[in-house]
Amino acid sequence: MTDVIQLLPDSIANQIAAGEVVQRPASVVKELMENALDANADEINVIIKEAGKALIQVTDNGMGMSETDARMSLERHATSKIKTAEDLFKIKTMGFRGEALASIAAVSQMEMRTRIGSRDIGSQLEVDSSEVKLQRPIACSTGTSVIVKNLFYNIPARRNFLKSNGVEMRHIVEEFQKVSLGRPDLNFSLFQNDLASYQLTKGKLTQRIVQLFGKNYQSQLAAVNESTPHLKINGFIGKPESAKKTRGEQFFYVNNRYIKSGYLNHAIISAYEGLIPKDQFPFYVLFIDIDPAHIDVNVHPTKTEIKFVDERTVYAIVRSAVKQALGAHNLSPSIDFELDVNFGKEQLHKFETFSEKDYGQFRTPQTKTSPEDIRSLENFYEKVLQNDPSRKIGNDELELTFQSAANAPEYGHIGFQEKQQEQTKVFTFQLHGKYILTQVKSGLMLVDINKAHERILFENYLNRLSTGKYASQQSLFPQTITFNPSDFALLEDIRDEIKKLGFDIEDFGKNSIIINGYPPDVGDQDEKQVFEGLIEQYKIFKSELTLPKEEHLARSLAHRSAIKPGKFIGGEEMNAIIDNLFACKTPNFSPDGQVTFFILDLNKIETLFN
Ligand code: ADP
Ligand code: MG
């Protein structure tokens, strides 16, 4: 009989290994973000299209890679992080198995651009199912940018197995939260289908919590701080009354690495005993610092589970630290929740409404609106807003409604979210391709999508211009533009600002530029058109008004790239628009002073029927 055993080709071996490391788009996001952390980046930008099924881009300003390293990084078991077996016991980095990039490259079309600070030129690599298609020198900024396109396109069974965009996006957001919560000392951003979901600036842990979960968390936190010879623990826990019925806001980090540990979770929950009902989960973000020799990180391929050498001691310290924090906030855990009279019906009710839904970015529960609902709503609004003269709301009435809404503090930044939190059912609905309809506490809110988006973009752009922090999405097919000499001179004048907006441009011969990258939130428009539009609009605005050039630029780009009427947008996008609008400094007006939203008061609606 002939010999039958063969070594698997690398590409197949990598695909098999990928099964462990890359389960879904969120795994890619996690691995790439962790690589960026390991590269000592302090600015990490994530761009997602179609819940990561079409595109995932992670850009960092870290140490970058040399040409050879860039090529090597794609090999399986290629890592710069361990050299000897002993190193395994001193791991301080996120990754070390050297499998992530090889695995991702095996199941996608990947592009990498990277440059180390000491070199003038970087390198670009294009890989398709593990096969390197292109490697060449390229001008790019210091750091690394990895683009992963069409994940699992070469393994249809895996691709079909992916869940809906909503579900996959939630996983991505969770990974993003885990990483960014673990490093409040770094800047992060997450863009989803051209909309900024998060733009996090470095600061204290409390600030990061608020940036990620909303302002109402501010008053809900109790600090944990405990130092023993064995380990240090610090962070924040949620006060008992903020506990929720859904899990998902429990974060545990050991030596800055997010970990899952049923055992430690139990230690924390047990410290809340008697303070929260059995079926509720407290919020927590806790960091343990412990000598790496006392843990074994390598027990799980995706590295979220670890083993402590001395589990019981760790358990006891964690539990006592949490108890102490609860006690320090006068929340003595001596009452039995089930029996105590203080927790009467009202209190229970409060618990329920609080946890009924956790409102935050991406977390507005989407109740399905039936076609009947939609039709009756449509009829209703048509009547209210245009046709029926007897029911028509006069302009000044709307004005009044709006005025009161704008003045009421409850529609300020957090107020809106808090109000939402109390509701059980919130729908969003796009009306005539132009407006978002949604329920708010006092009635019904109508948001003008285009104007609201313009306001959001304007403030984002202004912010980028003033902080110098921006994200840039790589052009897949960099285009060149040739200007007339006077426009080119104008461009010279605003070149720095244009870069800060997120356009990565380079000179390309006389009066010409090439666009290598563009702001991730300019929408699915042609980059060249956006750029030309920006310059055109800038000239128009500049001739009309004298404002600082930053403001003109921010206004121009916002005006050109805001979502245009008639474009269908999904539920998540609508929620993102509402969230982002109310996070603006001036949510009520578009940059040119037009109203962005109206609130139709319940009382007013009532009168329409009487
Ligand atoms: P691991 O992180 O486990 O070492 P990866 O496959 O994720 O394995 O990465 C392989 C190697 O590529 C890393 O050890 C590192 O040297 C290099 N690398 C990957 N991503 C980056 C990045 N964003 N910046 C700099 N170097 C990187
Ligand atoms: Mg890695």
Side-chain angles (χ1 to χ4, degrees), residues 39-40 60-66 69-70 113-117 141-145:
N40 288 329
D60 69 57
N61 63 351
M63 62 174 79
M65 280 177 268
S66 71
D69 280 354
R113 289 181 199 195
T114 184
R115 177 162 78 84
I116 49 183
S141 15
T142 314
T144 304
S145 178

Side-chain angles (χ1 to χ4, degrees), residues 547-562:
L547 290 172
K549 64 180 170 186
E550 285 83 4
E551 220 166 309
H552 275 311
L553 267 173
R555 278 188 66 193
S556 306
L557 189 57
H559 188 74
R560 287 289 170 147
S561 48

Side-chain angles (χ1 to χ4, degrees), residues 272-292:
Y272 278 85
E273 208 179 332
L275 287 173
I276 55 174
K278 286 261 178 316
D279 58 346
Q280 295 197 4
F281 306 95
F283 171 86
Y284 62 79
V285 186
L286 294 173
F287 294 83
I288 284 190
D289 268 322
I290 187 167
D291 181 346

Side-chain angles (χ1 to χ4, degrees), residues 377-443:
L377 261 170
E378 251 179 348
N379 290 340
F380 172 60
Y381 282 101
E382 225 128 69
K383 231 187 232 159
V384 171
L385 294 170
Q386 4 176 307
N387 302 333
D388 191 338
S390 62
R391 292 277 190 246
K392 194 169 172 183
I393 310 177
N395 253 343
D396 40 335
E397 272 182 282
L398 269 181
E399 191 64 37
L400 258 181
T401 319
F402 167 68
Q403 286 281 333
S404 60
N407 293 336
E410 58 176 337
Y411 294 100
H413 294 204
I414 26 150
F416 176 72
Q417 297 201 355
E418 276 168 0
K419 292 297 148 203
Q420 292 269 324
Q421 203 148 29
E422 287 165 17
Q423 292 164 12
T424 47
K425 270 188 167 190
V426 175
F427 61 84
T428 47
F429 172 72
Q430 191 179 7
L431 183 72
H432 288 285
K434 261 188 98 171
Y435 308 100
I436 298 169
L437 291 186
T438 190
Q439 178 182 324
V440 289
K441 185 79 188 292
S442 62

Side-chain angles (χ1 to χ4, degrees), residues 143-157:
T144 304
S145 178
V146 178
I147 308 184
V148 176
K149 282 175 282 179
N150 305 321
L151 188 67
F152 297 137
Y153 82 100
N154 52 354
I155 317 181

